[in-house]
Amino acid sequence: MHQERERVPCADLFSSQSSCRVNRNTVSGYFLAGRDMAWWPIGASLFASSEGSGLFLGLAGTGAAGGIAVAGFEWNATYALLALAWVFVPVYISSGIVTMPEYLQRRFGGERIQMYLSSLSLLLSIFTKISTDLYSGALFVQVCLGWDLYLSTVLMLVVTGLYTIAGGLAAVIYTDALQTLIMVLGAIVLAVKAFNEIGGYPNLEEAYLKAVPSKIVPNTTCHLPRADAMHLFRDPVSGDLPWTGMTFGLSIMATWYWCTDQVNVNKNPL
């Protein structure tokens, strides 16, 4: 009876402490959640990993400054995720790898490329993702609760570090699933309230094109709304986010981010 209870995956029994404890004591359990995770927390975790506080504030600010073409970064991910599911994940599964540096080590041999990718991924994660998410999250807490910016940053680091180190990938995935629910519901409420306040999309477009920011650079026109602000696909020559680059060039970066980046790849049901 005791052995049967140990085989129950965490995805099927949230309250099974013995199961989670067994999973965390193995490499597969700690880094891959025992390979028993259900599809819905994995999908929710992928969403939360991408749509963090940095994108909630950053994309909103970029959209306010330059228009809706920045949404191309998100719809482009659709094709990359399909490639991940049908092309990359089968290779990762057949290789039996836990991390991306381990895959390169098995593919090409030696340890230098493994150490190089580990170091590069860590540096990129710290300076391009973790730092911006921490700052934007702390900024949000400061605006909403009035807490000190540095205190908010430290608290987020401590809380995140505790449940990540203690629970492994399973704890991260379930926490992300809860965050996804909060973000989706919050975004829906905010969108409905915003459109009600302004009177619908036509009024939004009209108000945006007439908007002037409170802070401007004198003797410049950079603060004026772009004429193509409401166009998702922009001119390949004069557009700031040309449709050619957003369609073809961005796909290269999206393939790296969604199909080979350690944060996203490690949350698949390998």
Side-chain angles (χ1 to χ4, degrees):
M1 184 67 179
H2 177 68
Q3 293 178 350
E4 292 179 357
R5 289 167 57 187
E6 284 187 345
R7 294 194 187 100
V8 177
C10 292
D12 298 328
L13 254 182
F14 287 91
S15 60
S16 180
Q17 295 182 356
S18 62
S19 172
C20 292
R21 188 179 301 113
V22 170
N23 283 341
R24 286 200 304 267
N25 289 335
T26 64
V27 174
S28 175
Y30 191 85
F31 288 101
L32 298 178
R35 301 178 186 265
D36 289 323
M37 195 62 63
W39 65 267
W40 62 267
I42 294 173
S45 184
L46 281 169
F47 178 87
S49 298
S50 172
E51 309 298 330
S53 58
L55 287 187
F56 257 90
L57 297 182
L59 282 180
T62 304
I68 64 174
V70 69
F73 285 91
E74 298 306 309
W75 62 256
N76 192 280
T78 305
Y79 311 105
L81 283 171
L82 290 175
L84 172 65
W86 293 102
V87 178
F88 287 84
V89 166
V91 176
Y92 299 148
I93 292 176
S94 61
S95 301
I97 57 101
V98 175
T99 64
M100 288 304 300
E102 181 186 5
Y103 172 77
L104 289 184
Q105 192 274 334
R106 293 191 181 186
R107 174 65 178 81
F108 298 104
E111 296 184 354
R112 287 184 297 178
I113 191 170
Q114 183 180 14
M115 294 301 298
Y116 169 76
L117 182 60
S118 299
S119 303
L120 181 62
S121 299
L122 182 61
L123 290 174
L124 288 174
S125 182
I126 291 174
F127 291 105
T128 66
K129 296 164 68 173
I130 296 177
S131 57
T132 55
D133 284 340
L134 280 174
Y135 173 74
S136 56
L139 185 63
F140 178 82
V141 173
Q142 183 187 45
V143 171
C144 293
L145 303 179
W147 294 3
D148 180 75
L149 186 68
Y150 294 101
L151 174 62
S152 303
T153 304
V154 172
L155 287 177
M156 286 192 298
L157 281 172
V158 171
V159 172
T160 304
L162 284 176
Y163 75 73
T164 301
I165 295 173
L169 183 63
V172 174
I173 288 179
Y174 284 125
T175 304
D176 284 349
L178 176 61
Q179 292 173 353
T180 296
L181 179 63
I182 296 173
M183 285 191 293
V184 170
L185 292 179
I188 292 174
V189 172
L190 179 61
V192 171
K193 184 176 181 179
F195 277 112
N196 285 337
E197 288 289 333
I198 203 168
Y201 185 83
N203 289 344
L204 169 65
E205 184 174 0
E206 181 181 355
Y208 176 82
L209 294 176
K210 295 179 180 178
V212 176
S214 57
K215 295 182 179 180
I216 63 174
V217 179
N219 301 321
T220 64
T221 59
C222 61
H223 62 278
L224 298 177
R226 293 180 57 89
D228 58 358
M230 294 300 171
H231 292 271
L232 188 60
F233 296 96
R234 297 183 177 175
D235 189 90
V237 177
S238 60
D240 60 336
L241 294 172
W243 71 266
T244 49
M246 296 296 286
T247 303
F248 302 107
L250 182 60
S251 299
I252 300 174
M253 184 176 68
T255 301
W256 161 78
Y257 180 77
W258 288 109
C259 301
T260 65
D261 182 60
Q262 179 66 28
V263 174
N264 297 307
V265 170
N266 211 43
K267 289 182 179 178
N268 284 280
L270 300 179

